[in-house]
Amino acid sequence: MKKKKFRLLLTGGGSGGHIYPALAIYDILKRHDLIEDVLYVGNKDKLEGSIVPQKGIPFYSLKSVPFAGVSNKRRFVSFFLMFNSFIKALVLIFRFKPDIVIATGGYVSAPLVFAAFFCKIFFNIKIVLQEQNLVPGIFNKFASIFTDVVFVSFHDSTFFLWSNKCVYTGYIFRSDYNRKVNLAEIKNKYNIPIEKNIILSYGGSLGAKSINDMIHNVYYNLLKEDLFFIHISGKNREQYKPFDEVISNFEALGFKFSQADNKVYYNDKYCGLIFDYCNELFKIQSIADIIITRAGAGAIAELAFLGKPSILIPKIGLSGEHQFYNAISLAQNNAAIVCLEKKQNGKIVVDYNEIVDNVRNILTNSELRINLKSNIKKFYYKDYEKKFLETIYFLFDDPDKIEYVSQVIMPDFVKYQLNFDSLVNYLIEIRNINPGNVFFKYYTDKMNDYLNSDNWTLQNKAIKLAGALNREDILQYFAKKYDELKGFQRRNLFIAYSKLDSLKEIDFSLIKKGLEDSYFEVKRECLNFCMKHIYLIRREDFIKEKVLYFLSKRESFEVKSVAIKILPFLVSNSEFFKIISKYKYSSNIRIRESILDSIYYAYQMGIFADLNLLKLAVKDTLITTSSFEPMFKIRDKYKRLISIFEDI
Amino acid sequence: MIAIFIDLLKEWGINLGFLRLFSYITFRTIMAMATSLLITLLLGFRFIVFLYRYRFRDTSNIRGSIDTSSKAGTPTSGGILIVLSTFLSILLWSHLSNIFVIISIIALFYFAFIGLVDDWQKIKYKTSLLGLSQKMKTFLMLIFIIPFAIFMASPLSPLPYNIRTDIFVPFYKYSVLDMGFWGYLIFIIFVFFSVVNSINITDGMDGLLSGTAGMTIGVYGVFSYIIGNRILASHYLFYYIPGLGEQTIVLGAVIGSLLGFLWYNSYPAEIFMGDTGSLSIGAVISVTLFFTKQEFLFLIAGAIFVFEILSSFLQEKVGNNIGRRIFYRAPIHHSFTHRGIAEPKTVIRFWILALLCAFIALITIKIR
């Protein structure tokens, strides 16, 4: 590899999540003496305006505005501002003449990437994008088309990016993360008792409101456990003063705070520390035993590096819900515990009892603690620096050698979100195996949201979810207002009822309503529900009457075929054969199929006394080759081979 | 191309007797059909391999998820082959200076492009749910449809002046209504859009669209031959439209390539046409409706497509609003498989129905 010095243009900003990776990249390149000249492009009013100049990097301010998630009117204005920034970025690139542009996301990098792409006509500029999150924002998705390489922190990110040129490097750390830390020294510095378990909570670089709002309750409830806590609230700003609020919250519960050394006392006992901002976050992280934090990509990478058991609180309402997806991918691998924010009366809150329970659980259950530690370690990729440098070299020398991520697989959570019915099936699958699953919690909240909405399609989804989540109370609520429901809702109500694990009591008036419904799918599902609980309802005369009525009148074949299946349980054998003989030569294949099904089930249950008659009835059924399920041999053989090779 | 070559020969003073054959539209139509059929048959398998290797596969290209009873993973976007073979055949056998031919070729390629973008999106995101959005698709289609409608309704139109904005219905000789410029413009936009969409949604089973569209195109081929021929037009009491005969060659070429495609597309399909094919076929049919002035004949000749889009519209727009299903499944061909009739059987039944509709449509030539 021949060494070369670059003129580097760095960009990215808005929040710490985008700035720190950019600085980390700068550190790596600087350490290997690859930088001829550098310029950081950001918005001077935002966080990067204060952090970057401190590090001694030349800074250029470029105004940029959010584009997604604003009103159409604002978007129109944004478009012109964006265009203005684009022209400025063009001028900047012509003057600075960079060899490589590295963007880490955020609105400010958008005009620069487009301008750089435009300038490719004139100079040889390489454009590199670094994506920290599992699910990229809309800008990064779009911008990835224009880039030469995209560095991703998760393998699954490649599915979402529109570019095929992804390289997996893992999260790129700030250089101080590689230092060894003397734990005792730090504990001494803050006079922390050595034998106590330390629990650390902090938000992102700006502080996290929902964590700040409830953290005093968590630590108050945990006083019995004799823990030592450290909380980092975020700096006071004009709009929001987190530090002052947190202090007043703690003082309201009887804690005493000393402004001089940030120490907190309860009953004159030294029990914790509260900072507004901490320059030694890494050192404090390394002494902590449990960490409560946001699920930003940076935070997760830090946790993975340290291998700490953690409780993650993903921020909701972000673009693309990227924190939620980051958290889910960890929770699915049992690498962290996830607690979700909820909207209550317009405020975003976290249930502190849940967090207290989880902390107690981690402290007492050593097996869980070890599992969390070892699983989260798997998210740390050690050779990120080597891979990153190697790719940068190859980019200039020999682009064919770059090791792109080749296999693109749809992540599980996307698969289930695409189709609501497959989601419902998945929830039913996991509800017995792992009831504490994040999906379970998330969709319980979702269901409550749907319940409160006026839109009937959303309420319909709530019914489906109630069935999947085993919530009989909600179904009963819908059953009470059965007459107001639309056709699909009535149908799904019965489907949901049949998906419940156990039923307290059977609502016969509901079944009656369902059987008298005008919509054929409701009748079908109602009969399916009766079929499931056949031994509880077979004595009811009105069901038998109704089934016979369905079979004697003109009716949808869907209803008729279910009615035939349920028939042997309701009527005597001779009556059954009499009715069946009418349908043996039906032109509809599904009805004929259902006769065979019904005889099979009834035989298994031992309903029939005379087997000879049964044999005759079966032998007489019209069998044609109307319907078939295809089986493609070559696919079968291919699948067989692939499954063998995958085991190797 | 061949027509131009013969004209050149004539200019040079070479006038061979048998070359007269090439000036007959019937002969050239059959040759165009044979050419495109041959091209699709010869290139078909290589093209399938090409699509497979370049990952143009239906909805799923994840190795592990191959299902022995589903067709996901079959090469898609076979419409490219249809469009290319049709184009080559038109190039060879028709007069390229003819305005009808030029518009047909533009429509063919533009709609194939829209379909290709849609297919590509589906392949890229590995799911049929994330194709082009309905809004975007409509917008892209309107880019062609609106200029076309203005062209056909304005004095630029290649149709005779007196029937330009008139409406003709089957079983009746004279025009029933003169819609005027604006009326006809809106009529064209509406009809074009619904015809293209109806043909697009019919593409859902192996060989369903190739067969049924072939028959509808055949009917329109006969009509454009008659209307484009002065003697036949006056005999059957149609308004003569000069130059329309060339459109027969275009339609012949499309039928040929559809037959060739059906060779590979019949159950179980080795290749799907994707939106690339269905949209471009729809575009050719819809431009022909307006060239022949037989817009309402589509209700008979393309009754299957009309029924498909009606069922789909009712199920989606009306059914979703009142909150219940109106058909068992929509579009209507899925309703048949839901009843337990096997897919190949459903397809062949649809062909029979399409043939029936085609015969009824052809009767309207005589009964007027």
Side-chain angles (χ1 to χ4, degrees), chain A residues 262-380:
Chain A
N262 290 347
K263 285 179 181 170
V264 180
Y265 299 89
Y266 189 77
N267 289 343
D268 293 332
K269 202 173 141 203
Y270 176 41
C271 62
L273 285 162
I274 300 178
F275 297 104
D276 61 341
Y277 183 78
C278 187
N279 287 319
E280 300 175 310
L281 182 59
F282 171 63
K283 290 179 186 168
I284 293 184
Q285 277 171 338
S286 16
I287 57 168
D289 292 302
I290 299 174
I291 296 181
I292 301 173
T293 184
R294 286 288 194 207
I300 288 177
E302 287 162 12
L303 292 175
F305 173 69
L306 295 163
K308 297 281 179 191
S310 55
I311 297 172
L312 298 178
I313 305 172
K315 186 173 182 182
I316 56 168
L318 288 172
S319 60
E321 298 284 349
H322 66 250
Q323 287 206 351
F324 173 68
Y325 291 124
N326 289 344
I328 274 195
S329 82
L330 280 154
Q332 292 287 71
N333 290 302
N334 291 328
I337 289 169
V338 176
C339 293
L340 297 170
E341 292 182 337
K342 282 168 212 161
K343 264 193 188 138
Q344 260 172 24
N345 309 328
K347 274 171 82 180
I348 293 170
V349 293
V350 188
D351 186 10
Y352 63 83
N353 286 323
E354 200 181 331
I355 292 174
V356 171
D357 291 345
N358 278 321
V359 170
R360 282 201 186 118
N361 202 3
I362 293 173
L363 286 176
T364 50
N365 190 344
S366 65
E367 194 189 343
L368 174 72
R369 201 161 56 225
I370 290 161
N371 270 340
L372 286 175
K373 273 184 187 174
S374 64
N375 283 333
I376 202 162
K377 276 256 176 198
K378 287 174 195 157
F379 283 78
Y380 174 62

Side-chain angles (χ1 to χ4, degrees), chain B residues 1-7 18-39 84-98 101 105 243 245-254 256-257:
Chain B
M1 216 127 83
I2 287 176
I4 297 169
F5 181 62
I6 289 167
D7 284 351
F18 69 88
L19 284 181
R20 225 179 29 229
L21 201 56
F22 290 97
S23 64
Y24 293 122
I25 283 173
T26 38
F27 177 73
R28 282 194 282 143
T29 306
I30 289 170
M31 288 314 284
M33 209 186 283
T35 312
S36 56
L37 176 61
L38 215 63
I39 293 172
L84 286 183
S85 63
T86 310
F87 176 65
L88 283 178
S89 164
I90 295 171
L91 212 62
L92 209 56
W93 295 104
S94 74
H95 281 287
L96 287 174
S97 54
N98 187 298
V101 176
I105 290 174
E246 290 294 317
Q247 184 70 11
T248 320
I249 295 162
V250 173
L251 298 180
V254 175
S257 56

Side-chain angles (χ1 to χ4, degrees), chain A residues 89-100:
Chain A
L90 268 184
V91 174
L92 178 72
I93 289 174
F94 269 93
R95 281 165 67 187
F96 188 75
K97 292 196 185 64
D99 295 313
I100 183 164

Side-chain angles (χ1 to χ4, degrees), chain B residues 70-303:
Chain B
S70 101
K71 287 176 282 191
T74 309
T76 183
S77 292
I80 301 168
L81 184 63
I82 297 179
V83 172
L84 286 183
S85 63
T86 310
F87 176 65
L88 283 178
S89 164
I90 295 171
L91 212 62
L92 209 56
W93 295 104
S94 74
H95 281 287
L96 287 174
S97 54
N98 187 298
I99 185 74
F100 299 117
V101 176
I102 292 170
I103 294 177
S104 302
I105 290 174
I106 295 172
L108 197 67
F109 273 99
Y110 183 71
F111 277 79
F113 162 74
I114 299 175
L116 199 58
V117 174
D118 192 16
D119 284 342
W120 184 81
Q121 290 241 317
K122 285 177 192 169
I123 292 156
K124 170 85 192 157
Y125 297 115
K126 292 121 207 143
T127 163
S128 57
L129 297 171
L130 294 177
L132 275 182
S133 68
Q134 195 58 44
K135 257 187 204 166
M136 192 62 196
K137 230 171 171 177
T138 312
F139 172 73
L140 285 175
M141 282 185 199
L142 286 180
I143 289 180
F144 177 85
I145 295 173
I146 291 175
F148 173 77
I150 294 170
F151 178 75
M152 289 307 286
S154 71
L156 289 171
S157 161
L159 305 179
Y161 180 74
N162 52 340
I163 60 161
R164 211 181 58 223
T165 54
D166 285 0
I167 296 289
F168 291 87
V169 293
F171 301 111
Y172 189 65
K173 297 195 224 352
Y174 309 108
S175 88
V176 282
L177 179 71
D178 185 352
M179 294 183 90
F181 175 75
W182 289 109
Y184 194 56
L185 185 88
I186 290 161
F187 175 74
I188 291 182
I189 293 172
F190 173 72
V191 172
F192 200 119
F193 190 68
S194 12
V195 168
V196 169
N197 274 318
S198 67
I199 288 166
N200 188 9
I201 60 168
T202 310
D203 177 28
M205 284 181 178
D206 299 348
L208 180 62
L209 182 57
S210 322
T212 48
M215 289 175 210
T216 311
I217 294 173
V219 171
Y220 273 96
V222 173
F223 270 78
S224 55
Y225 177 66
I226 290 172
I227 296 172
N229 185 314
R230 194 188 300 274
I231 302 160
L232 283 176
S234 67
H235 178 250
Y236 288 115
L237 303 169
F238 283 104
Y239 278 94
Y240 168 57
I241 299 173
L244 190 63
E246 290 294 317
Q247 184 70 11
T248 320
I249 295 162
V250 173
L251 298 180
V254 175
I255 292 180
S257 56
L258 277 180
L259 283 179
F261 187 73
L262 193 56
W263 187 277
Y264 298 101
N265 184 228
S266 55
Y267 191 91
E270 291 166 83
I271 183 171
F272 297 142
M273 67 168 75
D275 280 353
T276 321
S278 58
L279 286 177
S280 50
I281 292 166
V284 170
I285 292 180
S286 1
V287 292
T288 315
L289 297 190
F290 304 108
F291 291 162
T292 52
K293 297 294 307 169
Q294 298 293 330
E295 295 92 348
F296 280 88
L297 184 73
F298 189 75
L299 293 179
I300 303 170

